[in-house]
Each structure stands twice: as structure tokens, then as C-alpha cells.
Amino acid sequence: MIKNAPYRFSDFESIELVYGYPDSMLNQYDSKTHHYQYLTKQGELIKDTLKLRDDDLLYLHRKAMELGYWNVADDMTTPADQRTTKAKVPRYKLTFNYKEKSKSVTLDADYEGVQKMKDAAKTTIDEVLNMLATAKAR
């Protein structure tokens, strides 16, 4: 069953994560180029190189499969006119790239759609962020 899965790790190429506020998505990571840039709490933009190990990428691929990331909607954003508050809301865009296709999901933190889909997307994004923090700490 895993060999015939729609997204196989043998076809895996990279993970891209972009997050921040919709008008300034400054936090970025690309596993193909190892480019990692993030905004510190003091507002300083740090550009760095961060390489994830193959085991890290395999873990993230399997976690996405386990959580049902492949089945969530691609656009999980809240239109500005439907926001309940005027506060800035974080937005995340996570993309898994494979040889012949990719899966990209854009998620707003205040998305009010199907809770199960939101949880799958948010948990997958959290796993990627945790893996980046772990790799940075090494």
C-alpha cells in the first residue's frame, strides 16, 4: 500500500515553508537550497543555512502521510472581510515537492473551516517547525 501511495518518499525532492503575516511572509525555509531565514523577536532578519538530514525529511514525509496532509484543502485562508478581529493573523504556506507533483497548503491561524482538516495542516506545519528548531540546535 505504501509503495502505491500518491506521494512516495522515493520521489521526494524538497519541503518549502513560508510563514509570517500575509503582508510580510519573511520567515522561509527550503530544504533543497538549505536557505533558512527568520525574523527574531527583536525584529532582526537572520539569513542562515540549515540542512535537514534524510531521516528528518523521511520523518516529516511519514508524519504528513499519517496526519492526512495530502487530503486537506489547498487554500485554508480566511478572507479579510470575514475576519472576526482586526488583529494581524499569522499565515503559513507549506509545500512538499515530489518529482511529478507537489502538495501545497496555505493556512491562516484563524481559519474556521473543517476542524479536522485544520488540525491536520497545523500539526504538519508544527512538526516541520519543530524539526527546524531541532536541526538548528544541533
Side-chain angles (χ1 to χ4, degrees):
M1 181 176 143
I2 296 202
K3 285 184 182 178
N4 296 324
Y7 295 91
R8 295 185 309 260
F9 188 71
S10 59
D11 295 335
F12 178 82
E13 290 187 345
S14 68
I15 291 176
E16 297 170 24
L17 176 64
V18 179
Y19 60 100
Y21 298 111
D23 60 342
S24 61
M25 306 266 286
L26 297 175
N27 301 293
Q28 303 173 1
Y29 177 71
D30 186 342
S31 69
K32 186 178 233 174
T33 63
H34 311 295
H35 172 74
Y36 183 42
Q37 98 177 12
Y38 58 95
L39 206 55
T40 64
K41 291 182 181 179
Q42 294 78 24
E44 183 181 357
L45 186 65
I46 306 291
K47 294 183 180 187
D48 201 358
T49 302
L50 184 65
K51 184 173 183 347
L52 292 180
R53 298 182 296 202
D54 287 343
D55 289 345
D56 298 338
L57 297 170
L58 177 61
Y59 171 80
L60 292 172
H61 167 81
R62 287 184 175 162
K63 198 63 169 173
M65 188 170 42
E66 174 188 317
L67 294 168
Y69 180 78
W70 315 130
N71 300 322
V72 302
D74 293 345
D75 184 13
M76 299 173 74
T77 58
T78 305
D81 59 342
Q82 294 179 9
R83 288 212 187 319
T84 55
T85 66
K86 298 296 177 202
K88 283 187 163 186
V89 176
R91 177 171 286 171
Y92 304 87
K93 182 176 182 188
L94 177 61
T95 306
F96 280 78
N97 294 308
Y98 295 83
K99 286 182 182 168
E100 296 180 10
K101 57 187 163 185
S102 65
K103 175 64 175 180
S104 184
V105 173
T106 305
L107 172 70
D108 281 345
D110 67 345
Y111 178 69
E112 293 184 3
V114 179
Q115 189 63 37
K116 222 176 182 182
M117 287 177 54
K118 179 183 176 181
D119 290 346
K122 183 62 176 138
T123 305
T124 305
I125 290 166
D126 288 343
E127 289 291 337
V128 173
L129 289 170
N130 289 338
M131 187 61 68
L132 293 175
T134 302
K136 182 110 176 94
R138 284 187 216 138

